[in-house]
Amino acid sequence: MAVITNVQNQLLSDTEVVQRIFVHIDNATTDKGEQTWKEPVDNYRSKKRLDAELKILQNRTIVFCPSSALTKSGDYIARDVAGIPLITVRGLDGKVRAFRNACRHRGVQVAQGTGCARALVCPYHGWAYSLDGSLKSIPHEHGFPDVDKATRGLVAVACCESNGLVFVNQNPQANIEQDVLSVPKLIPDGYRLLNSSSQIVEANWKLHLESSLEGYHIRQTHKNTFFPVQYDNLTLVEAFGENSRVAFPYQSIEGLRHKKQTDICVNARLTYVYHLFPNVVISTFPGCMQVVILEPIDESTTRQHTYLVSDIDEKETEQLKAVFEGQKFAAKGAIEDLNIVLSAQRGLASGANTFLEFGLFESAIVRLHTHLAKEVGRLDNPLCE
Ligand code: FES
Ligand SMILES: [Fe+2]
């Protein structure tokens, strides 16, 4: 597997991106992929397919949250990952660990949602676990003469913090430290959590994801929001490993036309959307970044976890106000996307299509489906590469 510097080198520099965008602006062109794709509607609707996708997610190293969502010892986040309840917690030693979120007495989740605790105490009968997962105490312990506390800690899941992100992998054979090397540093040092939220989206996780990965819909879907400040159908699409980066320029990029190459700063000139295969999207916005994790609930329901991170100091109220204004604007566009996605979800059931069509402008989505098809194929034939 490639080392970090090589991964970073797979992506163009900001200066190269800006130069390529100017070529597209001047020629009214955009990046095009090499192939189109027909994705069977069944792959969005079948339980069998979703089960396969969950299995893939359970056996991959995937982003759980940004590190800044777990800053202090005792900070925890409990949520499902590919249908399995997990909890991540920062220990007294500063290390983030992940566990299957099930009490070793009778399986109840030891914590829900987010919080900060000195110990994880099961809400049912009060078995208490240290932040490193070890079973610390059992109320009225004499009732459990056979329980060896040393072997009844929370069950650990592979967890690793790298470049400002927390990763987990539920496969006990995983080499998570190796895997995270394939993800370049996306979140700069010093970024802290501004806010986080979760929302249910009544659509298949892939339909929802697809709406972030192409700029072919800017004029039509975002007529009065993004289109007046961006470009219709003008994106740069790059591949790194199974992942993609899509650059969406704003018209303000024109301000960089005559800048020296060394002065290039793309903040507020373009949005990078990084798709970390399969279910994570990290986007850059003016003054902040957004980490979105899509948790498939069933074939037609997704839970979206969103983390907004920034390096703007809490005391810089004017700058923070500007970030939140920008986010309000982005949220308008996100609602437009959401309505389209919900409509596409209903379209799946209409019987009109046996497949969805992805063109040359939608190559990041083609890559998503290509790799997913390969992974599903591997589940069916584990010996085939
Ligand atoms: S199930 Fe957790 S203490 Fe009983
Ligand atoms: Fe959109």
Side-chain angles (χ1 to χ4, degrees):
M1 190 170 295
V3 295
I4 281 184
T5 47
N6 286 345
V7 172
Q8 210 93 44
N9 288 345
Q10 289 176 37
L11 293 169
L12 296 172
S13 69
D14 287 345
T15 304
E16 290 167 318
V17 166
V18 169
Q19 282 165 351
R20 279 186 52 184
I21 286 170
F22 285 145
V23 172
H24 281 319
I25 292 173
D26 295 343
N27 296 288
T29 51
T30 186
D31 274 9
K32 281 194 203 168
E34 282 165 5
Q35 54 163 330
T36 60
W37 185 269
K38 292 178 178 8
E39 181 66 7
V41 162
D42 229 29
N43 285 353
Y44 297 88
R45 302 193 72 211
S46 109
K47 171 148 184 1
K48 187 167 170 249
R49 171 67 182 219
L50 185 81
D51 287 346
E53 291 166 354
L54 289 174
K55 207 160 175 194
I56 289 163
L57 285 168
Q58 286 161 7
N59 285 283
R60 286 186 73 85
T61 293
I62 50 177
V63 173
F64 183 87
C65 66
S67 293
S68 55
L70 297 167
T71 48
K72 304 182 300 297
S73 290
D75 281 354
Y76 66 82
I77 299 174
R79 66 170 171 81
D80 281 9
V81 175
I84 307 295
L86 300 188
I87 180 165
T88 57
V89 56
R90 193 175 292 279
L92 293 172
D93 55 0
K95 191 172 164 359
V96 179
R97 295 177 179 82
F99 305 99
R100 293 183 187 274
N101 188 6
C103 179
R104 300 303 303 283
H105 176 213
R106 283 162 56 189
V108 165
Q109 268 85 86
V110 296
Q112 305 275 351
T114 62
C116 186
R118 291 153 66 97
L120 301 169
V121 182
C122 179
Y124 201 175
H125 311 93
W127 285 30
Y129 302 86
S130 302
L131 300 180
D132 66 3
S134 55
L135 177 57
K136 207 162 72 164
S137 64
I138 298 176
H140 308 290
E141 195 174 339
H142 57 89
F144 298 91
D146 303 327
V147 169
D148 173 10
K149 289 219 294 289
T151 63
R152 296 292 280 275
L154 295 173
V155 174
V157 166
C159 180
C160 176
E161 206 175 355
S162 168
N163 285 327
L165 292 169
V166 174
F167 296 82
V168 294
N169 190 323
Q170 300 182 49
N171 183 337
Q173 262 98 53
N175 187 346
I176 192 166
E177 280 80 14
Q178 183 72 34
D179 291 348
V180 297
L181 298 180
S182 66
V183 179
K185 188 178 181 75
L186 303 180
I187 299 182
D189 293 335
Y191 271 52
R192 64 188 178 85
L193 187 70
L194 287 186
N195 61 39
S196 65
S197 60
S198 292
Q199 77 176 111
I200 290 284
V201 175
E202 301 290 350
N204 180 274
W205 70 279
K206 291 170 295 180
L207 271 192
H208 187 36
L209 172 60
E210 287 160 1
S211 71
S212 305
L213 300 182
E214 47 89 0
Y216 174 47
H217 70 277
I218 297 289
R219 182 199 294 262
Q220 194 65 23
T221 302
H222 301 299
K223 245 179 240 97
N224 301 312
T225 50
F226 299 154
F227 177 56
V229 293
Q230 294 190 357
Y231 297 86
D232 186 41
N233 201 27
L234 198 172
T235 51
L236 244 59
V237 185
E238 298 166 79
F240 58 109
E242 291 166 312
N243 314 302
S244 299
R245 178 171 80 171
V246 187
F248 296 78
Y250 311 158
Q251 289 170 20
S252 63
I253 202 163
E254 287 292 348
L256 298 177
R257 278 268 182 196
H258 306 296
K259 281 249 161 63
K260 281 199 218 105
Q261 293 205 355
T262 45
D263 296 339
I264 294 287
C265 170
V266 296
N267 183 35
R269 309 275 189 183
L270 60 78
T271 279
Y272 283 128
V273 171
Y274 294 88
H275 172 223
L276 300 185
F277 178 81
N279 66 329
V280 175
V281 173
I282 299 182
S283 312
T284 63
F285 291 102
C288 65
M289 293 181 78
Q290 200 183 51
V291 179
V292 169
I293 296 153
L294 300 179
E295 166 72 16
I297 306 289
D298 62 29
E299 306 87 281
S300 53
T301 318
T302 303
R303 190 181 291 278
Q304 173 178 328
H305 300 282
T306 307
Y307 298 90
L308 193 67
V309 295
S310 172
D311 63 347
I312 294 175
D313 197 293
E314 266 164 293
K315 293 179 208 107
E316 301 288 348
T317 45
E318 283 307 307
Q319 287 182 36
L320 277 179
K321 228 163 92 186
V323 165
F324 286 121
E325 279 307 310
Q327 283 300 299
K328 260 196 229 163
F329 173 69
K332 276 191 198 161
I335 289 170
E336 291 166 346
D337 282 324
L338 182 63
N339 286 331
I340 289 290
V341 168
L342 298 178
S343 176
Q345 179 68 35
R346 289 193 295 277
L348 294 177
S350 72
N353 297 308
T354 53
F355 58 85
L356 303 188
E357 180 91 42
F358 297 96
L360 300 176
F361 309 134
E362 299 161 302
S363 62
I365 305 174
V366 173
R367 288 171 46 70
L368 157 72
H369 290 303
T370 307
H371 290 303
L372 212 44
K374 210 192 266 174
E375 293 294 322
V376 171
R378 242 183 234 159
L379 286 180
D380 296 337
N381 287 302
L383 298 178
C384 295
E385 270 306 296

